[in-house]
Amino acid sequence: MPEQAFSELSAAIARLAVKREAVILSHYYCRPEIHEAAHFVGDSLGLSQEAARNPAKVIIFCGVHFMAETASILCPDKKVVLANLDAGCPMADMVAPEDLAARKKELPGVPVLTYVNSPAAVKAISDVCCTSANVAAVLKSLDASQVLMTPDKNLASYAQKFALDKEVLTWPGFCPTHHRLSLDEVLRLKREHPQAVVAAHPECRPKVQAEAHVISSTSGLIKRCSEGAEKEYVVLTEEGVLHPLRKNNPGKIFWTPKTPMICPNMKKISLTDVLTALETLEPEIKVPEEIRRPALRAVERMMAVPRD
Ligand code: 13P
Ligand code: SF4
């Protein structure tokens, strides 16, 4: 889309957002033009926190379905609109409430720690939620010798290192965007850029994590790469983070895998979708009360634990 069309659309979005008294939230993995149109850009935890604290009555969510559900769980009195209803998360779809209920029966007394990248009905039968930004702290806060973690097996393997007094039982879920990255590609990047800091998201597979100098959530990686004194970084997470990294750190070099790490669902959201969402205030995401109330318990228990 030509630059002028972008700026005209962005201006129309800004005008309508004021009229609707709406706040536009974007995850870092959305397209750069969505970051620019949003009032707040963040990772999963940051977006949940902003949804809860922002006084706007309407939230236009630029992210995937589970994120808008989390906003609805936290803010039942606000109208939460997902900019593009097709934006789902394949990892969230890897855990169904019936399957988790069956597994819980096999593990009586074992608390369930569920990544926010999950359906609301799964959160509702979990003890506590986490994001990649607070997983270690939440896991450590649980008084149990075994914990079942859903749905991301890679995040579970990362978290296990922070709680050696516990056994973390895993669920066979993963993020296709991060899990796809191979060890060979990371070793090649390290050979070609031996001076670079290797920064990986914990959704990457354990062999990839083992090669990283820094493992952190999306906003944690952005902070580390922005504040670090080093000049070069190998960035092993969704490529949306490159927009703020390059914009705010013109003197630094960010290397990425040959096959870009792209979340196709986050990229579905266009400026036209945002404008249409503001015009129609549809599609609204509203979690039914009988699911929202137990899900809120798990989300609030997470929010009470300070982030890393
Ligand atoms: P964070 O935003 O918590 O880093 O999670 C990454 C992700 O995959 C979001 O869908
Ligand atoms: Fe889901 Fe992965 Fe996309 Fe995040 S990056 S929304 S976990 S598929």
Side-chain angles (χ1 to χ4, degrees):
M1 192 183 280
E3 200 63 36
Q4 197 197 346
F6 269 161
S7 55
E8 281 170 14
L9 260 176
S10 301
I13 288 168
R15 277 195 303 274
L16 196 51
V18 173
K19 196 166 151 201
R20 294 283 198 213
E21 298 183 50
V23 65
I24 303 170
L25 306 182
S26 169
H27 193 274
Y28 281 116
Y29 298 171
C30 288
R31 296 170 187 272
E33 62 270 25
I34 303 293
H35 293 198
E36 297 301 325
H39 299 110
F40 180 87
V41 186
D43 66 0
S44 303
L45 182 57
L47 291 172
S48 299
Q49 289 169 329
E50 186 60 22
R53 106 183 118 218
N54 197 290
K57 286 277 173 274
V58 174
I59 297 174
I60 304 295
F61 219 108
C62 303
V64 293
H65 190 267
F66 76 79
M67 296 180 176
E69 274 192 339
T70 307
S72 168
I73 290 166
L74 282 164
C75 324
D77 299 333
K78 296 181 186 175
K79 194 174 182 84
V80 181
V81 180
L82 182 58
N84 186 323
L85 195 56
D86 283 343
C89 168
M91 167 151 63
D93 294 341
M94 291 176 193
V95 55
E98 317 75 72
D99 297 336
L100 177 55
R103 185 77 179 112
K104 278 175 56 152
K105 276 203 185 119
E106 295 167 0
L107 298 167
V110 174
V112 179
L113 168 56
T114 287
Y115 195 20
V116 286
N117 303 28
S118 56
V122 166
K123 292 181 176 75
I125 55 167
S126 300
D127 294 276
V128 61
C129 288
C130 71
T131 76
S132 56
N134 59 18
V135 59
V138 174
L139 180 62
K140 279 190 253 179
S141 77
L142 295 174
D143 182 17
S145 57
Q146 281 189 317
V147 175
L148 172 62
M149 214 180 135
T150 74
D152 188 357
K153 59 181 179 179
N154 294 336
L155 186 71
S157 146
Y158 164 74
Q160 175 70 83
K161 299 189 193 85
F162 295 93
L164 297 174
D165 59 328
K166 298 179 173 72
E167 183 189 5
V168 179
L169 307 173
T170 60
W171 190 269
F174 58 90
C175 162
T177 301
H178 288 87
H179 190 74
R180 194 176 297 129
L181 176 64
S182 71
L183 174 63
D184 283 353
E185 175 59 356
V186 177
L187 294 177
R188 184 193 68 78
L189 281 158
K190 285 181 77 167
R191 265 195 315 275
E192 287 188 10
H193 312 289
Q195 66 290 3
V197 175
V198 178
H201 195 281
E203 287 174 14
C204 293
R205 56 179 81 216
K207 279 183 183 166
V208 166
Q209 293 182 30
E211 294 298 325
H213 303 114
V214 182
I215 306 170
S216 192
S217 67
T218 302
S219 55
L221 293 178
I222 292 174
K223 190 169 186 292
R224 172 64 180 82
C225 297
S226 300
E227 293 178 357
E230 305 89 345
K231 199 167 172 290
E232 294 187 37
Y233 299 84
V234 169
V235 181
L236 306 178
T237 190
E238 212 277 350
E239 59 146 46
V241 301
L242 295 168
H243 177 60
L245 281 177
R246 290 191 171 133
K247 186 175 157 188
N248 299 326
N249 302 281
K252 292 185 174 176
I253 300 169
F254 300 101
W255 304 104
T256 56
K258 248 196 205 120
T259 305
M261 294 173 73
I262 294 176
C263 173
N265 283 285
M266 293 281 192
K267 302 300 190 245
K268 283 178 183 166
I269 300 145
S270 67
L271 283 180
T272 311
D273 291 336
V274 180
L275 186 60
T276 306
L278 280 163
E279 281 166 353
T280 61
L281 297 185
E282 294 283 348
E284 183 176 5
I285 304 298
K286 192 141 189 73
V287 176
E289 262 318 277
E290 66 278 14
I291 294 176
R292 190 190 75 82
R293 260 181 275 110
L296 180 64
R297 257 203 313 273
V299 173
E300 279 188 334
R301 203 168 159 195
M302 164 187 89
M303 304 280 268
V305 178
R307 67 180 296 169
D308 289 345

